[in-house]
Amino acid sequence: MSCIAAQSLAKSYSGIAAVDGIDLTVQTGQIFGFLGPNGAGKSTTIKMLTTLVMADAGNLSILGIDAAKSPLEIRKRIGVVLQQPSYEPTLTVKRSLEKYGMMWDVPAQLRQERVRRLLADFDLTEIQNKRNEDLSIGQRRRVQVAREFMHDMDLLFLDEPTVGLDPAVRKRLLDYLKDRAGAGLTIFYTTHVLSEAEYICDKIAIINRGKIIAVDSPEELKRRFGQEKTIKINIAERDERIRDLLEDITDCRVEFDSGTEVTIRSEQSSAVLSRIFGILKENDIEVEELSAVPTSLEDIFLKVVSDAPDS
Ligand SMILES: Nc1ncnc2c1ncn2[C@@H]1O[C@H](COP(=O)(O)OP(=O)(O)O)[C@@H](O)[C@H]1O
Ligand SMILES: [Mg+2]
């Protein structure tokens, strides 16, 4: 049984599709990364998956439970950290955790143990008696995430939990999530930072403009794109013919700027390069400068996103 199974899930606001018919399968114990730029539809998806927002169309089963029929059954078994901050300003950090445990009917002794554990795990012990309103954005975010671990759950949704965290704290949180997933928790994790998804996720779906444009393991994404090199060629003089001459070369993507620079991305960079040199030589086009570097995964992500239809 899949932990999350969604088919053709869609949601529009005032006739504009925020999520435009997506399919998702998440297996138990996975950390599933949902990666996309701002406005892509990540939060809307999380709200549908957590039954906070009703989908306009599609089928959704969470933990084997039909979301349209029994949303409350689902809510009992999941944890949700939404993107927007939610805290009671005058409560202290410690009290926030305690109160959350009470809300979920966690027995008193277990509650105390968990509070102590989470304060330590999330590096909040020193500020446990501070009020939420006196915390920094990053500290509040940590309280918001820590609090969710007060109760037992089978599936945790996190909507951009690391925004506002400095790199060391961010890494700590990611490692903590990895540990919990190792112990059996399934995690659905949204981010707009590819390196984060790469670090913790078993599988990554890339969403853009409400549509999923790639789903793969980080390793497979790397294998698919990791061989790629970005070649930049600067020709000595602007030449109108170059567009036509280079446009039909296979196994690469060619971009022209308005001046003398040509950018080529290819997995067969040496073969492509020798063909390009051949063509340039035949046509007496002089190369002034050349560089070739591996395409970074961030660039690949941006490229995949900007290549999607309608952009
Ligand atoms: N409650 C809402 N009312 C109107 N439009 C919304 C609402 N929520 C989201 N949208 C729109 O839907 C699109 C997707 O938003 P969202 O799911 O928040 O994206 P992301 O979380 O990836 O940044 C955006 O264009 C956003 O403006
Ligand atoms: Mg969002």
Side-chain angles (χ1 to χ4, degrees):
M1 185 198 74
S2 304
C3 196
I4 299 176
Q7 290 101 34
S8 312
L9 217 53
K11 177 76 192 172
S12 294
Y13 291 107
S14 329
I16 297 166
V19 173
D20 196 4
I22 61 168
D23 297 337
L24 282 171
T25 308
V26 177
Q27 304 301 337
T28 304
Q30 269 187 341
I31 303 186
F32 190 93
F34 204 52
L35 181 71
N38 287 330
K42 302 183 295 296
S43 295
T44 305
T45 301
I46 278 213
K47 285 177 192 157
M48 288 192 283
L49 297 180
T50 55
T51 77
L52 300 175
V53 157
M54 268 281 267
D56 297 338
N59 297 313
L60 176 60
S61 156
I62 301 290
L63 300 164
I65 305 163
D66 187 330
K69 287 193 189 131
S70 317
L72 295 180
E73 287 301 303
I74 293 172
R75 284 194 213 172
K76 278 186 216 160
R77 294 180 49 194
I78 62 174
V80 186
V81 178
L82 292 177
Q83 192 168 12
Q84 54 271 38
S86 58
Y87 58 92
E88 289 178 56
T90 57
L91 276 191
T92 65
V93 170
K94 189 175 179 203
R95 206 48 208 133
S96 299
L97 297 184
E98 276 167 355
K99 204 170 163 193
Y100 215 70
M102 282 160 77
M103 216 176 79
W104 283 93
D105 290 326
V106 179
Q109 196 185 337
L110 184 58
R111 212 163 59 219
Q112 298 322 313
E113 274 168 34
R114 282 191 183 165
V115 168
R116 199 177 36 78
R117 238 350 256 283
L118 288 169
L119 286 173
D121 285 344
F122 282 79
D123 218 358
L124 298 168
T125 309
E126 270 182 30
I127 54 165
Q128 60 177 304
N129 294 319
K130 273 198 176 181
R131 294 157 160 223
N132 284 320
E133 61 190 354
D134 298 328
L135 303 180
S136 72
I137 290 172
Q139 288 170 333
R140 272 182 209 157
R141 195 66 179 151
R142 260 150 63 206
V143 175
Q144 209 184 345
V145 176
R147 177 177 87 167
E148 211 52 45
F149 287 96
M150 283 300 295
H151 67 100
D152 294 311
M153 57 196 152
D154 297 311
L155 171 60
L156 172 63
F157 293 89
L158 296 163
D159 197 357
E160 306 217 28
T162 55
V163 171
L165 303 188
D166 68 51
V169 176
R170 180 181 292 233
K171 175 151 189 315
R172 229 179 130 181
L173 175 61
L174 295 178
D175 287 336
Y176 183 80
L177 295 176
K178 261 189 178 177
D179 278 355
R180 298 300 290 240
L185 181 65
T186 311
I187 299 176
F188 187 92
Y189 183 96
T190 81
T191 178
H192 61 269
V193 185
L194 176 65
S195 53
E196 254 180 29
E198 200 196 337
Y199 184 61
I200 61 165
C201 296
D202 303 297
K203 206 149 204 191
I204 298 174
I206 301 178
I207 181 171
N208 190 43
R209 293 167 186 265
K211 285 194 193 308
I212 290 180
I213 52 182
V215 188
D216 243 317
S217 64
E219 296 76 29
E220 194 51 41
L221 283 176
K222 263 198 200 148
R223 198 159 32 240
R224 252 164 70 188
F225 301 108
Q227 304 300 318
E228 187 177 280
K229 289 220 169 69
T230 299
I231 303 162
K232 283 194 191 296
I233 299 175
N234 286 284
I235 54 173
E237 272 169 50
R238 211 184 124 129
D239 194 315
E240 295 299 337
R241 296 171 300 164
I242 197 156
R243 221 168 252 271
D244 286 339
L245 289 172
L246 299 187
E247 209 147 52
D248 294 333
I249 300 179
T250 51
D251 302 324
C252 67
R253 308 196 300 273
V254 188
E255 277 166 40
F256 305 93
D257 74 350
S258 51
T260 55
E261 187 170 276
V262 185
T263 305
I264 300 128
R265 293 195 175 82
S266 174
E267 288 181 30
Q268 272 97 46
S269 51
S270 52
V272 166
L273 254 183
S274 70
R275 294 229 299 288
I276 289 175
F277 275 130
I279 292 170
L280 294 178
K281 197 160 180 224
E282 268 170 39
N283 292 280
D284 290 321
I285 297 172
E286 191 190 333
V287 173
E288 194 172 75
E289 208 178 300
L290 172 93
S291 66
V293 291
T295 306
S296 74
L297 281 176
E298 290 302 336
D299 284 347
I300 290 163
F301 168 48
L302 290 174
K303 183 69 192 159
V304 171
V305 163
S306 65
D307 274 357
D310 300 319
S311 63

